Amino acid sequence: MAQAGQQPSQEVPAEPQGMEEEAWLLTSLQEVPNISKCWLRPAHAGGLSLTVQYSQRNLPGNSQRNYAQTMHVSKGFCGDHETTPSFPLELKDVQMLSLSPSGKRTLIVRGGSEGNSCSLEIWMGNRMTKELLVPKKQHGGVYNDGWFGSGAAWSPDESRLAYVAEAPAALQTPSWGGLVKSSGEGDDKDVAAPKTWKGQGEWQEDWGELNVGKRPPSLFVLDLKRWSLKSVKGLPQDSSVGQPEWTPDGTSLVCTVWFHKAQNFPTMPQRLGIVYCMNRPCSLYSIKIPFTCKNNTPSDLNPQARCLTDGLLSAASPKFAPGGHKLIFLSHDAAAGSGVHHATAALKCLSWSKEGAQAAVETVVEVVNSPCSDDAFPGLYLGALPASPFLDSNTLVVTSQWRSSTAVLAISLDSGHVQRMSQHDADRASWVFAATCQGSVVAVTSSPHQPPNLQFTAEAVRNSPVWVPLAIEGSWPFDKAVEQALPNMQHDVLKVKATNAPNLPVEAVLITHKDVTSPRPTILMPHGGPHSCYPTSYFSGYTFLVSLGYNLVLVNFRGSTGFGEDSIQSLPGNIATNDVLDCMACLQAAIGTGMVDKDKVGVMGGSHGGFLTGNLVGQYPSSFKCGVLRNPVMDLGLMIHCSDIPDWCYIEAFGSKEGLRRMQVKPTLEDLERWREVSPIAHADKVTAPLFFMLGGKDQRVPQRDAKQYLAAFKARKNAPETHVIVFPEDTHALDKPQTEFEQFLNAAWWFKRFLN
């Protein structure tokens, strides 16, 4: 009962309201696991042993639950029966798991405790042979991010392994308070004293998004014979080092080196963000790794690294082909030279002997500027080579973007011929290479209406290998809601002509409900990047929205990866024009199918997709009823001063040549005028659609200040449309924490339910 003079308490309404059924469906869809990694090894009776690592969203814990299962694939397996897996083993607190090439040893890296950065466990057979605790003074956290580091590199005899970790702090921060004079009676550290605190050391630059506060990646070698751990000396100063690979004789490492000041942007002295940025210059170096002699001294007191790739702006992801005569690597010179963050890659090769690299770098697969047909190979689009990518001594297997899907490719190292190994049928699914052993290959395939599943071929060397499903006992069925949603979905890839450049390809992935009998509300979804792509793969958020009755139009506009280098380079200097026109052309193509209600269209995008969402609702206000923007670029003139990728603002707004010429840390008035011209904030007064903003509190790429400034300008209007804002305080640019992902799509569904239905 309320006291006199007090108002009765009222329960604050929770938003979004009336979404209980939708929340249940989304929860069920997000429980579907992803396949993150596979290992394939020889087994008895000519069969194979397959270990699969899964990741599953742990919504209550706001984390990813990682676990593994192992199964036997019998000789002659033809997909006519399910395989029986082992019990699932959760990889709790495992930061890195690395199997040796023979499969006899395993490195498991776990998180550390106070005073230790991590623990290193070496397992052999059914037992752990040694556990080492690594003090923080020796190195910091382990890098296993898929870029600087991905697992550990085992020497050919498996007696040493190399991995990547944060360099130790260069200076110790001082302690203040509690300072007492020495008693002169020996060690005073255990005597009574006032409380102290750690002072702040000098600020250190880092690699931006996802690497904030991390010290540079460095190489460390663990000697399994002497159980000694040492850092690798002799590498270039003021650089970060990663992606180690042992030479065939086991005496040296080949690694990738990124200098902290980008040579291709000499007017930008600061260290720039590196995540998703293939345009950061890098080189391959080799360095001798001393071994300990009998008298306990190193065999080489002063090893010095040697650059292997002079003349290239970009060289990364080194792998030795079986036999050890060829060193294969990727070059992103097209990105580094033009300044775009992702472009077509080239596959390069160095001949190798006991003396090291021989002759000059050779090109195995060139950059493809313009594919000769819709079905022709469009070029290579991948950030790094797989961990064990060789089918035999002459064949490399990779995953690459191929127009609006991903494909498994076999590349001949002798001829450079590229063969599409994965099926390309009417279903237009996406394929990802997972593992290979003894001529067999395991791949992961998925589509918008098919969660990830395993495919197997024992005939990978054939021109047209026969793939069979590798069904795992107990994988199905999923929750009833999922079982009902998936069979009722369908997708198609629409080929669209660009408005002002009909020779450059544009595609849209149209995802709909099968029982569409009349036009439905539709959500237009441009991707981020802008140099990325929407593949025809499974994503629970899309399944969720289609299950609620919406069509989705996923736009791969000019500048998307997977369509040739000419397409990519056509966008810089033309953002907010070409990509906007392509989005509208894709929407019109979808309307032309008869499935889209043109009076009930919303738009949703993140990063550059949010930039396009802001431009679309501003440039074409009558076409869209509402918008959802995730960490969007709204004002390039503000972003240039607070983003970890200021170079992006110059290259994309002005084009490669002019952007490189104008690039500097102090923009001119002309720069600011151009950025204003292409930014959504220029059209804020014309927007009639209600807008929902979802922002990451720790986003370094497009900090939330950018969107909030737009919001202030938007709300300054008289009778401005409704806005809604959620800030996820612990999220970075991707907004991909499980609870964040859940809340994003549930709130987006609530927004679309209000304004499209």
Side-chain angles (χ1 to χ4, degrees):
M1 183 175 179
Q3 296 180 0
Q6 290 185 337
Q7 294 292 328
S9 61
Q10 295 183 354
E11 185 175 344
V12 178
E15 288 187 344
Q17 293 183 342
M19 299 293 290
E20 291 77 12
E21 290 187 12
E22 290 90 338
W24 176 261
L25 172 61
L26 184 55
T27 301
S28 299
L29 287 167
Q30 292 208 324
E31 289 176 351
V32 176
N34 290 313
I35 298 171
S36 53
K37 190 178 291 187
C38 293
W39 294 270
L40 198 59
R41 296 174 290 159
H44 60 83
L48 297 167
S49 175
L50 173 64
T51 300
V52 182
Q53 182 176 325
Y54 298 90
S55 63
Q56 183 187 31
R57 297 173 185 87
N58 175 10
L59 280 173
N62 200 22
S63 62
Q64 292 287 343
R65 178 179 288 110
N66 297 304
Y67 58 97
Q69 288 183 300
T70 299
M71 59 216 72
H72 180 75
V73 182
S74 59
K75 185 177 181 181
F77 177 77
C78 58
D80 57 346
H81 63 276
E82 292 184 335
T83 58
T84 303
S86 63
F87 294 113
L89 175 65
E90 185 173 2
L91 305 175
K92 201 165 186 178
D93 195 33
V94 174
Q95 297 180 350
M96 187 167 71
L97 175 67
S98 180
L99 273 65
S100 69
S102 70
K104 295 179 179 178
R105 295 176 176 84
T106 304
L107 167 69
I108 297 178
V109 180
R110 300 188 189 273
S113 54
E114 188 175 349
N116 299 312
S117 62
C118 65
S119 67
L120 308 177
E121 300 174 3
I122 302 296
W123 292 75
M124 181 181 291
N126 61 356
R127 69 190 189 281
M128 183 171 69
T129 58
K130 186 72 78 171
E131 178 183 17
L132 298 178
L133 299 179
V134 181
K136 291 179 180 178
K137 290 183 178 181
Q138 190 161 16
H139 69 58
V142 171
Y143 278 93
N144 192 34
D145 55 1
W147 183 241
F148 289 124
S150 184
W154 294 79
S155 64
D157 64 357
E158 300 184 2
S159 66
R160 297 192 287 182
L161 54 86
Y163 64 91
V164 185
E166 286 183 73
L171 297 171
Q172 293 296 313
T173 56
S175 293
W176 303 112
L179 298 177
V180 294
K181 291 184 178 181
S182 172
S183 64
E185 298 178 0
D187 193 354
D188 293 325
K189 67 179 182 179
D190 295 324
V191 301
K195 188 175 181 179
T196 64
W197 73 91
K198 275 282 188 181
Q200 297 298 318
E202 183 184 6
W203 172 76
Q204 301 291 324
E205 282 192 307
D206 53 44
W207 284 108
E209 178 75 9
L210 298 186
N211 290 291
V212 173
K214 292 184 178 180
R215 294 187 294 277
S218 303
L219 294 187
F220 295 84
V221 172
L222 176 62
D223 188 326
L224 302 183
K225 290 182 177 178
R226 295 170 178 81
W227 298 110
S228 64
L229 177 65
K230 295 182 179 178
S231 62
V232 175
K233 307 294 185 183
L235 289 161
Q237 297 295 311
D238 198 24
S239 69
S240 293
V241 188
Q243 301 176 346
E245 182 84 356
W246 288 94
T247 56
D249 62 4
T251 63
S252 302
L253 283 172
V254 173
C255 57
T256 306
V257 173
W258 295 264
F259 287 95
H260 292 164
K261 292 184 179 179
Q263 304 99 301
N264 54 346
F265 301 145
T267 57
M268 288 283 179
Q270 71 270 44
R271 199 187 313 179
L272 301 170
I274 200 169
V275 174
Y276 318 124
C277 302
M278 306 302 167
N279 61 343
R280 303 298 177 233
C282 51
S283 303
L284 297 187
Y285 278 74
S286 66
I287 183 149
K288 287 273 188 183
I289 303 300
F291 57 89
T292 304
C293 301
K294 289 184 178 179
N295 60 0
N296 224 26
T297 60
S299 57
D300 189 340
L301 293 174
N302 190 30
Q304 291 298 311
R306 179 168 69 97
C307 184
L308 304 175
T309 54
D310 284 326
L312 290 177
L313 267 176
S314 170
S317 196
K319 300 290 175 186
F320 280 98
H325 301 301
K326 292 180 178 180
L327 175 63
I328 309 300
F329 62 95
L330 288 174
S331 173
H332 287 97
D333 262 31
S338 66
V340 300
H341 279 202
H342 196 180
T344 315
L347 187 69
K348 303 282 187 177
C349 173
L350 275 169
S351 296
W352 198 269
S353 70
K354 289 184 178 179
E355 287 72 38
Q358 305 297 309
V361 173
E362 298 177 1
T363 300
V364 179
V365 179
E366 298 271 9
V367 168
V368 175
N369 290 315
S370 181
C372 58
S373 69
D374 287 354
D375 296 325
F377 171 59
L380 289 175
Y381 301 91
L382 66 163
L385 295 175
S388 301
F390 295 100
L391 185 62
D392 54 43
S393 60
N394 185 51
T395 309
L396 178 77
V397 185
V398 299
T399 304
S400 181
Q401 192 77 39
W402 190 306
R403 296 180 78 97
S404 295
S405 63
T406 55
V408 178
L409 309 180
I411 302 173
S412 168
L413 301 182
D414 286 340
S415 68
H417 174 71
V418 179
Q419 174 198 343
R420 189 171 187 169
M421 294 178 63
S422 51
Q423 295 173 354
H424 183 54
D425 51 25
D427 191 41
R428 294 185 181 236
S430 281
W431 290 64
V432 176
F433 168 68
T436 181
C437 181
Q438 297 181 345
S440 297
V441 172
V442 172
V444 180
T445 182
S446 74
S447 72
H449 53 83
Q450 173 63 57
N453 63 92
L454 295 170
Q455 297 284 328
F456 175 82
T457 180
E459 304 170 323
V461 293
R462 289 178 45 175
N463 287 333
S464 298
V466 177
W467 293 90
V468 296
L470 209 165
I472 300 174
E473 191 178 273
S475 296
W476 291 79
F478 294 120
D479 184 271
K480 184 178 179 181
V482 178
E483 294 291 325
Q484 291 176 343
L486 294 174
N488 293 320
M489 291 176 58
Q490 61 184 2
H491 76 281
D492 193 14
V493 178
L494 306 179
K495 288 181 167 57
V496 180
K497 283 191 175 181
T499 304
N500 54 355
N503 294 327
L504 290 176
V506 175
E507 290 185 350
V509 181
L510 176 62
I511 311 175
T512 63
H513 212 269
K514 279 185 177 179
D515 61 355
V516 175
T517 56
S518 60
R520 289 194 172 202
T522 297
I523 305 166
L524 187 72
M525 302 182 76
H527 61 69
H531 307 295
S532 63
C533 190
Y534 271 133
T536 55
S537 56
Y538 178 79
F539 180 61
S540 61
Y542 303 156
T543 305
F544 172 63
L545 292 174
V546 174
S547 298
L548 299 181
Y550 303 103
N551 301 318
L552 302 185
V553 183
L554 313 183
V555 182
N556 288 323
F557 45 80
R558 280 169 287 172
S560 300
T561 54
F563 295 86
E565 188 63 14
D566 287 349
S567 174
I568 288 175
Q569 296 298 339
S570 72
L571 184 58
N574 295 296
I575 58 170
T577 300
N578 285 2
D579 41 10
V580 168
L581 289 172
D582 291 350
C583 286
M584 294 305 296
C586 288
L587 178 58
Q588 291 304 314
I591 291 172
T593 66
M595 298 182 182
V596 174
D597 185 341
K598 64 182 179 60
D599 295 321
K600 295 182 178 180
V601 178
V603 58
M604 177 178 180
S607 193
H608 187 82
F611 168 85
L612 288 175
T613 298
N615 268 299
L616 286 163
V617 297
Q619 294 185 40
Y620 297 89
S622 63
S623 296
F624 301 98
K625 297 300 181 186
C626 63
V628 175
L629 305 94
R630 305 167 54 255
N631 277 338
V633 178
M634 305 305 286
D635 184 352
L636 274 76
L638 177 57
M639 177 182 168
I640 185 72
H641 296 293
C642 56
S643 172
D644 68 335
I645 53 166
D647 54 300
W648 185 95
C649 300
Y650 278 101
I651 298 299
E652 296 300 337
F654 290 98
S656 293
K657 185 177 180 180
E658 182 66 7
L660 289 169
R661 187 187 73 81
R662 302 182 74 95
M663 193 178 297
Q664 57 180 318
V665 292
K666 295 186 291 184
T668 65
L669 287 176
E670 290 82 1
D671 296 339
L672 294 170
E673 287 172 359
R674 173 58 180 163
W675 289 328
R676 174 79 174 192
E677 180 185 338
V678 300
S679 294
I681 199 168
H683 307 284
D685 291 343
K686 296 181 288 183
V687 177
T688 59
L691 301 180
F692 198 138
F693 288 81
M694 301 174 181
L695 311 175
K698 294 185 176 180
D699 186 357
Q700 301 295 309
R701 191 119 306 174
V702 189
Q704 57 181 303
R705 288 172 54 195
D706 189 282
K708 288 179 176 178
Q709 178 64 29
Y710 176 93
L711 277 162
F714 195 72
K715 291 178 179 180
R717 290 171 48 189
K718 186 177 180 180
N719 300 321
E722 181 180 348
T723 59
H724 205 84
V725 183
I726 294 180
V727 176
F728 299 96
E730 298 301 316
D731 273 81
T732 55
H733 189 59
L735 294 175
D736 57 358
K737 289 183 181 294
Q739 291 175 2
T740 302
E741 192 178 77
F742 176 90
E743 289 191 49
Q744 282 178 87
F745 279 92
L746 190 65
N747 277 283
W750 172 66
W751 201 246
F752 294 132
K753 186 177 182 179
R754 288 183 59 198
F755 297 107
L756 294 187
N757 292 341

